[in-house]
Amino acid sequence: MSPKEKKGEITINDIAKELNISPSTVSRALNDNAKISEATKNKVKAVARDLGYELNLVASSLSKNKTNVIGVIIPHLGSQFFAKALSGIQEVARDNGYNVIISQTNESVQQEVEMTRVMNSARVDGLVCCLTMETDNVDHFNVFVKKSIPVAMFDRVSYAVPGPKIVVDNYEAGYVATEHLINLGCKRIAHLAGVVSSKVFEERSEGFKDALKKHSLPLLSQFLLSSDLTEQDARDAVRLWMNLPQRPDGIVAASASSGLIIASAVKALGIKLPEELSIISLGNERCNEFVTPSLSAVDMPGYEMGKAAVTQLIKCINDGVSDSSITLKPIQLLIRNSSFKH
Amino acid sequence: MSPKEKKGEITINDIAKELNISPSTVSRALNDNAKISEATKNKVKAVARDLGYELNLVASSLSKNKTNVIGVIIPHLGSQFFAKALSGIQEVARDNGYNVIISQTNESVQQEVEMTRVMNSARVDGLVCCLTMETDNVDHFNVFVKKSIPVAMFDRVSYAVPGPKIVVDNYEAGYVATEHLINLGCKRIAHLAGVVSSKVFEERSEGFKDALKKHSLPLLSQFLLSSDLTEQDARDAVRLWMNLPQRPDGIVAASASSGLIIASAVKALGIKLPEELSIISLGNERCNEFVTPSLSAVDMPGYEMGKAAVTQLIKCINDGVSDSSITLKPIQLLIRNSSFKH
DNA sequence: TAAAAAAATGCAAGCGCTTGCATGGATGAT
DNA sequence: ATCATCCATGCAAGCGCTTGCATTTTTTTA
């Protein structure tokens, strides 16, 4: 080993020495700077390859004041929606030369705040995130706003912070799903909604209500339940509804997972799906098509939203403009066997 | 605006000037260095807070030659197994002060190679990865080995590169699942296996075969199919088996998704589950419990494996030792309704 | 063939933080 | 009061790369 065994990292200085030129020339050559002759570029690249040189992104980031890193803050990776979103995010990031550093809040606002701090420390070039269900104060994003670091939000967004917003038309989702049941002949439709404090769920509820209104169907107060959409909430709702003298003949579940649980709970009660009851959920999981009967759903395009979010984000990073563009993505109605024509 | 509007970033120099002390003292104070008096520490921290100072991790990383970043390379985020693994990875990484940069190979070796290059450029402190199904040459990990940067592998691992290996006992999984069917009274058990080139699937197959042998059951050649486990593969297998004069009365699916598809295809043929046929899959997805009948499975602990991988990795990072420890995680047999006592 | 223009390269500072070593001041022992 | 000890802080170099400007080399033009 050499006396100064420097952890073995090859630097541009090593290349420079090898060729008897200056480090600046090496740097420029490797970056294909126009003012460097083809001859030296080739020589430099050849030596770099021979020596096994690999750019030190840390040093590069520091001097360029640009990390080429995009931070991602999402609630959790447990749901397919977010996993797909992350997948989309990572793919377009990679295609654009960005790395992705990721973190989950687990729906904790405190974690969210903490993570913005970390992302700031990491000096990410941009942030894409989906707020927790409880986030109402978004001051923790001010650091980025102040520094003109773009923040793209998707699904659960806040218009209080500038930047791209990628949302699905949740009102439309609720409306379309409900109307689907109505068209099937359902007269007594119930809705297990999410917390109203969340825009997403509020809009879905609105869509639900308006669809009923539009078709002159009554909205029974007991038929509109708001909850955290946990497994227990779904079971409770089913118990409540199915013990009613007048059971619902259609259910709109505000989320994919609650829909699954509702369907399973209902079946456990011996109720025939979809003959006695139609179900549709707002949000689709792959297993919706494997259950019996397969579960109709309005699909939320997680993958596409993730892709769109970074695409917009990168646009902001490049064009300097941290403008607030609103993209509404279409939703897709997946009709399966859990909803039934009467 | 000040004449030199420096992007607004507060540095330790700003704090130093403010307090008329040297930047070194500020640095040490913020890092709770023992040689700094409590008095100055407090002053420094107070000013830091007031100014909204946030450590520049890039600069810190460069000078410390440590990034506190862990790189993750996984096949894809589509399967719950990997999503959960990533979730576990990120959580323990965060708890230990590490950031996670993530990338998917989509089962492409070329992508895998490319990603190791990126991770190297990013100077990650450690790598955790799950190889693609096709990876046989692992030379692209040599860079890390040479630099003593630990590489932890989970699930699909290669013993050719040193470092922690977190695997599930796949032989056991195959054996246990098969034995379960045997105990239920199945006599003609088929197995849709994965590609044999993959250790994981080879071991599962071995477990399957040995269980049969142990219980003196014949292995019909047509009952052992090897494939890529795509949806089509699963459907083809079902078609083949169900057209046989002597159908199988039990099926062991090598993966969660293929099990789901097999079950669904079989049901579509009007075959009664589990009366006429029992199914169990090696790998569990949440939806296994929602399908009818719910699908028995051997659970592969993705979340735990992810956690274990980083835990081991961090140990390596700290203790300098990049030793090769082999951890076998237990598997869990989830008995549900798709397997039936005859 | 000299002067001017263009092309290629080098110099050196700087990105923000860390850290070994030197220094100054306060405390304690004699 | 004196010198050895600590304790607290400062100095300055360095991490590896980028980049504005200066300098050198080559090419072009008259």
Side-chain angles (χ1 to χ4, degrees), chain A residues 70-340:
Chain A
I70 287 175
V72 175
I73 300 179
I74 51 180
H76 51 257
L77 284 154
S79 92
Q80 265 168 52
F81 175 78
F82 290 122
K84 278 187 194 165
L86 177 57
S87 179
I89 289 169
Q90 198 265 316
E91 282 177 16
V92 354
R94 158 173 54 63
D95 292 347
N96 286 276
Y98 283 86
N99 277 139
V100 168
I101 106 176
I102 159 247
S103 69
Q104 316 172 67
T105 61
N106 285 314
E107 302 288 2
S108 143
V109 180
Q110 190 199 321
Q111 269 296 315
E112 185 175 285
V113 173
E114 176 60 24
M115 286 339 283
T116 57
R117 185 161 295 140
V118 173
M119 296 295 178
N120 179 28
S121 250
R123 299 293 193 264
V124 296
D125 288 340
L127 241 196
V128 4
C129 62
C130 173
L131 302 174
T132 77
M133 287 204 281
E134 271 87 34
T135 305
D136 51 347
N137 179 318
V138 289
D139 288 351
H140 44 297
F141 290 103
N142 287 166
V143 211
F144 301 99
V145 178
K146 215 158 282 169
K147 296 196 287 184
S148 305
I149 304 234
V151 176
M153 296 194 175
F154 73 98
D155 197 44
R156 275 127 65 163
V157 310
S158 164
Y159 291 89
V161 7
K165 307 279 176 295
I166 315 293
V167 292
V168 92
D169 190 336
N170 286 295
Y171 173 88
E172 175 82 3
Y175 191 95
V176 165
T178 310
E179 194 164 55
H180 170 63
L181 296 187
I182 294 173
N183 290 339
L184 256 29
C186 294
K187 301 291 182 199
R188 298 185 311 285
I189 306 179
H191 177 40
L192 177 60
V195 287
V196 276
S197 60
S198 167
K199 202 93 178 161
V200 168
F201 293 117
E202 187 197 331
E203 289 172 357
R204 291 180 186 182
S205 275
E206 288 307 315
F208 166 76
K209 288 189 269 189
D210 281 5
L212 290 188
K213 196 176 304 172
K214 172 80 180 305
H215 292 270
S216 321
L217 286 178
L219 169 55
L220 286 73
S221 66
Q222 282 166 310
F223 277 14
L224 177 51
L225 260 35
S226 201
S227 77
D228 286 335
L229 299 176
T230 63
E231 173 155 353
Q232 195 51 52
D233 292 328
R235 295 196 186 289
D236 290 346
V238 168
R239 184 167 327 115
L240 175 75
W241 287 333
M242 295 307 147
N243 281 329
L244 255 30
Q246 283 270 72
R247 289 175 174 171
D249 58 2
I251 297 180
V252 177
S255 72
S257 59
S258 61
L260 246 6
I261 294 165
I262 287 175
S264 133
V266 162
K267 277 199 300 180
L269 292 177
I271 292 168
K272 292 272 171 287
L273 290 182
E275 295 81 354
E276 300 177 49
L277 174 70
S278 288
I279 299 180
I280 186 167
S281 48
L282 305 182
N284 181 47
E285 296 239 337
R286 192 152 53 99
C287 86
N288 276 30
E289 60 181 295
F290 288 119
V291 299
T292 312
S294 54
L295 260 186
S296 301
V298 175
D299 194 22
M300 305 299 179
Y303 183 71
E304 287 72 18
M305 288 174 84
K307 287 185 119 167
V310 218
T311 305
Q312 292 305 108
L313 187 74
I314 292 178
K315 203 164 290 175
C316 288
I317 294 177
N318 294 331
D319 304 359
V321 263
S322 174
D323 77 307
S324 163
S325 81
I326 302 180
T327 312
L328 302 189
K329 304 293 287 185
I331 52 189
Q332 198 185 339
L333 183 58
L334 301 172
I335 301 177
R336 291 195 275 242
N337 301 329
S338 68
S339 45
F340 180 79

Side-chain angles (χ1 to χ4, degrees), chain B residues 90-230:
Chain B
Q90 197 264 316
E91 282 177 16
V92 356
R94 158 173 54 62
D95 292 347
N96 288 274
Y98 283 86
N99 277 139
V100 167
I101 106 176
I102 161 248
S103 69
Q104 317 172 67
T105 60
N106 285 314
E107 302 288 2
S108 143
V109 180
Q110 190 200 321
Q111 270 296 316
E112 185 175 286
V113 174
E114 177 60 24
M115 286 341 283
T116 57
R117 185 160 295 140
V118 172
M119 296 296 178
N120 179 27
S121 250
R123 299 295 192 263
V124 296
D125 288 340
L127 241 195
V128 5
C129 61
C130 172
L131 302 173
T132 77
M133 288 204 281
E134 270 87 34
T135 305
D136 51 347
N137 180 320
V138 289
D139 289 350
H140 44 298
F141 290 103
N142 287 165
V143 212
F144 301 100
V145 178
K146 215 158 284 170
K147 295 196 288 184
S148 305
I149 303 233
V151 176
M153 295 195 176
F154 73 98
D155 196 45
R156 273 126 67 163
V157 310
S158 164
Y159 292 89
V161 7
K165 307 279 176 293
I166 314 294
V167 292
V168 91
D169 190 334
N170 286 294
Y171 173 88
E172 176 82 2
Y175 191 96
V176 165
T178 310
E179 195 164 54
H180 170 65
L181 295 187
I182 295 172
N183 290 338
L184 257 28
C186 294
K187 301 290 182 201
R188 299 184 310 283
I189 306 179
H191 177 40
L192 177 59
V195 287
V196 277
S197 60
S198 167
K199 201 93 177 163
V200 169
F201 293 117
E202 188 197 330
E203 289 172 356
R204 292 180 185 181
S205 275
E206 288 306 315
F208 166 76
K209 286 188 270 189
D210 281 5
L212 290 188
K213 196 175 302 170
K214 172 81 179 305
H215 292 270
S216 320
L217 286 179
L219 167 56
L220 286 72
S221 65
Q222 281 164 309
F223 278 12
L224 178 50
L225 260 32
S226 202
S227 77
D228 286 334
L229 299 177
T230 64

Side-chain angles (χ1 to χ4, degrees), chain B residues 11-12 24 27-28 53 63:
Chain B
T11 74
I12 54 172
S24 358
S27 172
R28 286 194 254 254
Y53 171 81
S63 82

